[in-house]
Amino acid sequence: MKDLTTMPNIGKEMASKLKSVEISTAEDLVEIGAKEAFFRLKTKYPQVCLVHLYALEGAIQNIEFNCLSEKTKANLKEFGDSLK
């Protein structure tokens, strides 16, 4: 099992927050997906923002979040907006 911090965009603080919502490994994050992980984070940490969602998806895709496609970003933004 890989540590969350081995993934792009996931530093110690993000890893700690993910672990607090029952996402402990890179495999957990991939299995759960960015949207569910973000939903869990948003529920516990209301201050998380769209950039966190992009970071999670980028981590899953193994790319820096700013390299996500415009289509992916639009889809994630729509999801993030639906949580407001």
Side-chain angles (χ1 to χ4, degrees), residues 4 7 15 18 22 25 31-32 34 42 52 56 69 74 77:
L4 287 162
M7 302 176 87
L18 287 167
E22 317 265 329
T25 66
E31 182 179 326
I32 289 165
K42 190 77 170 163
H52 292 89
L56 292 166
S69 72
K77 182 176 183 334

Side-chain angles (χ1 to χ4, degrees), residues 5-83:
T5 59
T6 64
M7 302 176 87
N9 312 313
I10 308 294
K12 289 180 182 182
E13 183 178 338
M14 176 71 94
S16 176
K17 286 180 178 176
L18 287 167
K19 288 175 184 174
S20 78
V21 294
E22 317 265 329
I23 302 169
S24 300
T25 66
E27 292 85 358
D28 289 343
L29 180 55
V30 170
E31 182 179 326
I32 289 165
K35 290 178 179 179
E36 175 62 22
F38 182 73
F39 176 77
R40 291 183 189 186
L41 288 173
K42 190 77 170 163
T43 300
K44 187 164 185 174
Y45 304 100
Q47 77 278 13
V48 296
C49 65
L50 186 60
V51 174
H52 292 89
L53 180 54
Y54 290 171
L56 292 166
E57 182 61 31
I60 290 168
Q61 292 188 28
N62 199 35
I63 60 174
E64 296 297 322
F65 74 89
N66 56 355
C67 295
L68 291 169
S69 72
E70 291 304 315
K71 182 178 178 181
T72 298
K73 286 192 235 181
N75 178 275
L76 294 172
K77 182 176 183 334
E78 185 178 319
F79 174 77
D81 288 348
S82 76
L83 299 179

